[in-house]
Structure formats: C-alpha cells, structure tokens
Amino acid sequence: MRLAARFPLLLVASLLGAVSAAPAAEPSPILVRYSWDDGNVEAGPDTFSVYRNGRSSVQLSNSFRASGTQSVEFRDVAGDGDFPELLGYFPERRDGWLIVHFALLVTDPNEELNIALAGPQRFVLGRDGISLWLFTRDGNLVQMTDSIPKRLVSLKPFTWYAIDADLDLAAGRYNLQIFEEGSDKAVVSLLGQPNAASQPGSAVSLLSFVGSPGLDRSNVVYYLDDVVVASSREVALPPFVAPGRRQFLADQQAEETPAEEATENSATEASKAPDTAVLERRGDEAFRRRSLPEAQQLYEEALQTAKQPSTLFLKLSDVAFLRGDLATEKALREKIFGSLDPR
Amino acid sequence: MRYPRIVGLWSILLLSGLLVAASPNSLVVALIAGEDVAALKALGPQVLPEMVRLYSSGDTAQRRRIAGLLYRLSWKSSEAATALLRDVETEDVGLRISVQYALGRVSDQPAVVDALLRNMVGDPDPFLRDKAACALAYDQVHLSEAAKVRLYDGLIRALASEVEQVRAIAIQALGVHTGQRKGFFPEAPIEKRRAAIARWQKWLAEYKENL
C-alpha cells in the first residue's frame, strides 16, 4: 500500500529538490531526512537513537511504505515495562521557521502513540520542552496546543496520513495540515495554533516517535515514513565522517575544550594514579594523533573502570571505523544508539 | 544480560508460588516488611486486598510502609483509595505525606483530588500544604483529560487565596501540568493577579469545550 505520490507540501518538495542537487557539505535547509530507502539508516549522535527494550520493537519493514520500499515499524506491548522509541537529533533552532513532515499509518487507531518535537528541556510541557505534540486517543489523532488536547481527525486503520507542520519558532505558533491517503483535500488545515505549552521562542532539537511512555498501556503497531525536518534558513551541516556522526567524538571534544584547559587538566591528572578519566583523555590525545592502536588500548583500559561507558563505546567505534573494522564499529555504536535492523 | 534476569524472575515466581501455596498472607507480610516492590509486582494486583487489610489493621509505621509500596506499585484500587483517604488528614506528618503521595497513584476518584485540594489550601502547616500540592502536581497519574477539569478548577480557584504561599504552590502545580503561568505571579498586586486568573479561567473554559 502506498500513499498517493503527490505530497501536498510543495515547500518540502522544493526543499528536497534543492538538497538532492547540492553537494553534501553545502548549506541546505534540510536538518533531518529519513526515507529509509537511501541506505542512510544508521543510528548515531547526529542521526537518531532507537530504543526497543522490553517486548517492544522498532525496525525497518517493507510491509507498508508511503514511498520507496521501506518504512519503520513500531510495536509497543502493554505492561512490558518499556516502550519503543525513535529519537531524531538535529541542530537546535529557536527562531525562524521549521518545517516538519512525515507519513503515518496505524493498524488500530484506539491504541496510543505519541509524536513530539522538543527542545533541550526534552519531553515536558514548558519553555524549551515540547513544541509540537500529536498523539492518539480513542481512535482520534489529537494535538496538544496551549496545553489543551484538541481532536484533529478520526484515524482510519491501515491508511497513510501525510502530516505537515510549519512552525514559527519565535512566535510559538504553527500551521498544521493533514492529508489522507487517496485524497487531495486536507482533512485538517489549521493556521496559527499555539505550540504545545504556548511558549514563544521555545527551542527545538529533538523529534521523537514512541508508543505509550507513561502508563505502559499501549499495544500500538504503527508505521512511519518520509520524515523531513527543514529550516527556513540554509544550514551548513558538515558531511558525515562515519555512520551516524558528522565528527569523531574525541575531535569534537577537543574543539569544545580550550587547549590550555585541557593541558592543565592533563598535568593535574598525570600526577595522580591513572584513572578512568585520565586514561580516556590520553586515549583522546592518541586518537587525535591518529595513533589508533594506542588509542584503542587506552580506551579499553578506561572501560574496565568506567561507570558511564557510552562515550568510550563511541570512541572505540570511531577507532574501529578508522581501522576499517566496520562490523566492530557498528556493534559498538549500536550499544548506545540502537539499531533499525529487523530482528 | 537478559538470561540472568529471566532466571531471576522465574526464581521469584517459583518461590512466590511455593510460599503462596503455604501461606499467602504470610508471604505478603514478609514482602511488605522487606519493602520488596519487585516481588509484590510479580505477584500482581491480587495482593492488593491483603495489602489494604494489613494497612487498615497496621500501626503508623506499617501504614506508612504500605502507603509507600502502593505509591511505587501505582495500581489503581478503589479499596486502597478508601483506606488511604481515612488518613489524609492524620496529624502524623510522615504518614500524611506518604498517604498524599500514594492517593493519586491508586485512584482517579474525585474524592482524592478534593481531599488533596483541601489540604493544599486549608491545612494550617505550610509544609503539608506544599506536599499536598506536590501530590497534585506529580502523582495524579490515573486522571483522564475529563477528570483533570476538577483538578485544574481547584488549582485556579486557589490562585485567589489570601495566603501568598497557597497562591505560589497552586501556580507551581498548574505549571507542572501545563508548562504555563499565564502571567500569574503570587506576589503581584491584586489587579494583576485577577487579570491572570481571568486568563486561566478562559483557558479552562476552552479546555472543557474540547473534551
């Protein structure tokens, strides 16, 4: 089953055209684009994380798709103590326009799902928290606007819906259009809706698709396709250096920490017995020299005592990538960010 | 990582099954004494009647312990709510706080919201008023969108309290639920407060229209 080829938001179409014609490193208005058909399905710090704990799952599927050959399938299981999530990352935006587009198909509209665009305060109502929040309730798609849940449309099962939200971030308002598969006329067309908690200037940097994160009461199965987040201004995103990331972590941290400060820290730490942080920092220095065996050894030693191993896993994944060991790279990265691989 | 967890769960279930066969009540007593939430959870909501019975017949320490467990289990139970409501105005501070926190975790009854609003607005102790507001802000997990009208209405009415601290905790609780203040500041001149309350009342009317 496929969504009618014509997606109504011409702006998104033109933006997509613009980006496909431009080299990867050139400025582009596209912040996020997941079609699942172009091979760019790798989780990572500059793409997305996948959480599928408990009995829930998030995985690529070719059972249904709005375009191309694949979509992503979400399955939640009530009472399993967890929920499925795909959490997308993009550079923070606080003003200008932001365009969010995706296609959604639910198998049972009575089961709960939640979709939220949020900022650095993450998934709470308030400034820099959730800006756009759509969810299902009693068979309806509902928006949270001005902290009030408002019904949008009664969803039909096994039917694709194309959802377009244009957010004026400084004003804290958005326009919303929803198109049902097979129809050219919008089933929802709203202008100037206050954002979720009516917060002008609220920042956004995350896009999340989940089941029931609260009371764990959903058995939802739904499909997601053609996700696009675009900005009204062009953004110079660097190209990907490895799957899922645009910069190696040790290189990124070097830019974030002034050289003098790093030297002072190293001198202080060197006088003590080697501990996790010292070993990791020495590993970083070796990595930046691209002395990869030394970096790997130091990171692995640090891992023995690390209480929060995720950054070390990612750094070891960076080392594995540069050493050409792509299987290890993928395994280590997916320990942190998850995977869309069918299971 | 997954295999030991499964073995652990099966061990609990087998052990629980053996103990339940021997003496179901003594098992629940033991799990309550050990504050073993995981094992109680594994037994399922059928342990609730016995927990409520033990709560009602227990001393203050036992009641506080069981209220804490009911909070952590978060299973809806009208029997538990009825038992807890009997202690919602107790003078024992520790028990009062545990009961206030647990009530919203076991019930969506209007009586629970009403009791917590009464404590938030009318208790002579500002500390207990504050804890009642915390319960209203964070623990009303079973309330439907329609049932929240009663909660919002009570919090908005509390914005007009003559006690500044009551106004402050009411707007904090509204902020947790909605992410907004609508320009209400508890220490502001009364004219400005009245204008903000009017904005909240307009908001509540729109909320009701959309149910």
Side-chain angles (χ1 to χ4, degrees):
Chain A
M1 191 175 292
R2 298 179 62 138
L3 187 60
R6 174 190 170 278
F7 267 129
L9 188 65
L10 294 174
L11 180 53
V12 166
S14 64
L15 292 173
L16 289 171
V19 76
S20 62
E26 290 295 310
S28 151
I30 304 293
L31 300 171
V32 168
R33 183 184 180 190
Y34 315 137
S35 72
W36 323 116
D37 299 311
D38 51 9
N40 294 326
V41 294
E42 302 291 356
D46 296 313
T47 53
F48 54 82
S49 288
V50 176
Y51 301 94
R52 47 185 188 183
N53 302 314
R55 293 163 62 198
S56 66
S57 72
V58 183
Q59 60 185 349
L60 290 173
S61 167
N62 49 22
S63 298
F64 302 95
R65 67 274 189 193
S67 68
T69 58
Q70 295 192 107
S71 64
V72 167
E73 177 196 79
F74 295 72
R75 284 181 182 269
D76 201 353
V77 177
D80 72 337
D82 218 311
F83 58 91
E85 179 173 22
L86 187 143
L87 177 61
Y89 310 108
F90 58 91
E92 186 175 300
R93 284 284 173 277
R94 191 178 287 281
D95 56 21
W97 283 81
L98 194 81
I99 295 145
V100 179
H101 170 90
F102 57 90
L104 176 74
L105 177 149
V106 299
T107 61
D108 181 351
N110 289 302
E111 295 290 348
E112 180 184 343
L113 65 86
N114 288 267
I115 297 159
L117 179 74
Q121 295 299 316
R122 301 180 76 85
F123 300 99
V124 295
L125 284 175
R127 187 170 173 79
D128 295 346
I130 300 175
S131 274
L132 177 70
W133 183 3
L134 303 175
F135 54 98
T136 52
R137 187 81 83 241
D138 303 325
N140 298 299
L141 187 65
V142 179
Q143 66 165 337
M144 183 67 78
T145 172
D146 190 18
S147 315
I148 298 172
K150 294 186 177 178
R151 279 187 294 276
L152 293 169
V153 61
S154 177
L155 291 176
K156 295 175 184 167
F158 298 101
T159 302
W160 281 106
Y161 291 87
I163 297 171
D164 292 304
D166 300 354
L167 294 93
D168 181 345
L169 296 175
R173 289 182 175 268
Y174 60 84
N175 304 330
L176 182 67
Q177 284 195 301
I178 301 178
F179 292 80
E180 187 179 302
E181 177 182 356
S183 172
D184 285 345
K185 192 171 178 237
V187 291
V188 172
S189 186
L190 297 167
L191 297 175
Q193 301 294 291
N195 65 18
S198 196
Q199 296 286 338
S202 204
V204 291
S205 55
L206 301 165
L207 181 60
S208 170
F209 300 86
V210 300
S212 168
L215 291 175
D216 191 18
R217 60 190 173 194
S218 178
N219 287 304
V220 73
V221 178
Y222 72 97
Y223 295 83
L224 174 72
D225 206 350
D226 296 336
V227 179
V228 178
V229 178
S231 165
S232 55
R233 285 173 297 165
E234 299 207 328
V235 186
L237 292 175
F240 286 95
V241 297
R245 66 267 205 201
R246 298 179 186 276
Q247 200 169 15
F248 295 116
L249 185 52
D251 295 344
Q252 181 188 332
Q253 289 175 336
E255 286 180 13
E256 290 168 357
T257 309
E260 306 80 45
E261 193 181 316
T263 306
E264 281 172 22
N265 289 342
S266 292
T268 311
E269 287 161 358
S271 63
K272 302 177 193 167
D275 63 7
T276 311
V278 175
L279 288 166
E280 181 172 352
R281 189 152 294 137
R282 284 167 52 198
D284 292 345
E285 288 162 6
F287 181 88
R288 288 176 206 129
R289 295 193 307 273
R290 296 301 187 259
S291 177
L292 300 175
E294 183 188 355
Q296 181 174 340
Q297 185 185 337
L298 288 161
Y299 289 148
E300 285 173 347
E301 283 179 36
L303 202 53
Q304 303 299 316
T305 51
K307 289 179 181 161
Q308 302 284 340
S310 55
T311 58
L312 285 163
F313 284 139
L314 187 56
K315 286 174 179 177
L316 281 165
S317 175
D318 290 344
V319 171
F321 179 80
L322 289 175
R323 297 187 80 174
D325 182 354
L326 299 186
T328 301
E329 182 282 325
K330 182 177 167 70
L332 287 164
R333 175 170 45 80
E334 291 182 350
K335 276 178 187 279
I336 313 161
F337 297 99
S339 169
L340 284 173
D341 289 347
R343 61 175 188 178
Chain B
M1 290 290 278
R2 284 175 175 267
Y3 183 65
R5 279 182 59 192
I6 292 167
V7 170
L9 181 60
W10 277 108
S11 302
I12 289 169
L13 292 173
L14 278 171
L15 178 63
S16 304
L18 290 171
L19 288 171
V20 166
S23 171
N25 294 353
S26 62
L27 170 65
V28 177
V29 169
L31 295 179
I32 288 171
E35 300 189 30
D36 193 340
V37 176
L40 287 166
K41 199 168 263 184
L43 291 175
Q46 63 266 31
V47 298
L48 284 170
E50 180 61 6
M51 289 182 74
V52 171
R53 192 189 69 75
L54 291 167
Y55 178 91
S56 299
S57 62
D59 60 13
T60 301
Q62 174 79 327
R63 288 181 182 213
R64 190 175 170 182
R65 191 177 300 118
I66 294 174
L69 290 166
L70 290 169
Y71 172 90
R72 291 163 73 186
L73 290 168
S74 287
W75 287 329
K76 215 159 125 181
S77 161
S78 58
E79 295 88 348
T82 302
L84 292 167
L85 276 169
R86 288 191 203 109
D87 285 328
V88 78
E89 292 181 15
T90 176
E91 290 181 4
D92 184 282
V93 173
L95 178 59
R96 169 89 78 93
I97 292 168
S98 298
V99 164
Q100 288 185 161
Y101 284 177
L103 273 166
R105 299 272 168 173
V106 301
S107 174
D108 60 357
Q109 293 174 18
V112 166
V113 171
D114 291 348
L116 293 171
L117 284 167
R118 267 198 312 276
N119 284 359
M120 186 194 87
V121 173
D123 195 280
D125 183 343
F127 175 72
L128 291 174
R129 291 199 299 261
D130 182 84
K131 293 300 178 188
C134 288
L136 288 165
Y138 294 107
D139 296 319
Q140 305 311 301
V141 297
H142 297 292
L143 290 189
S144 66
E145 278 142 15
K148 282 185 179 172
V149 168
R150 197 177 194 92
L151 168 62
Y152 294 150
D153 184 53
L155 292 173
I156 292 168
R157 277 190 281 112
L159 296 178
S161 170
E162 292 181 359
V163 181
E164 184 174 322
Q165 187 242 1
V166 172
R167 301 195 296 268
I169 56 181
I171 192 63
Q172 282 174 12
L174 276 169
V176 170
H177 282 282
T178 67
Q180 300 193 54
R181 303 184 68 97
K182 297 214 172 282
F184 185 90
F185 293 92
E187 70 287 359
I190 192 162
E191 300 77 24
K192 289 194 174 176
R193 281 188 272 134
R194 281 183 181 147
I197 290 170
R199 286 192 288 276
W200 275 111
Q201 287 167 335
K202 184 170 175 242
W203 174 86
L204 185 59
E206 190 179 350
Y207 183 96
K208 287 184 197 168
E209 281 170 17
N210 281 280
L211 290 173

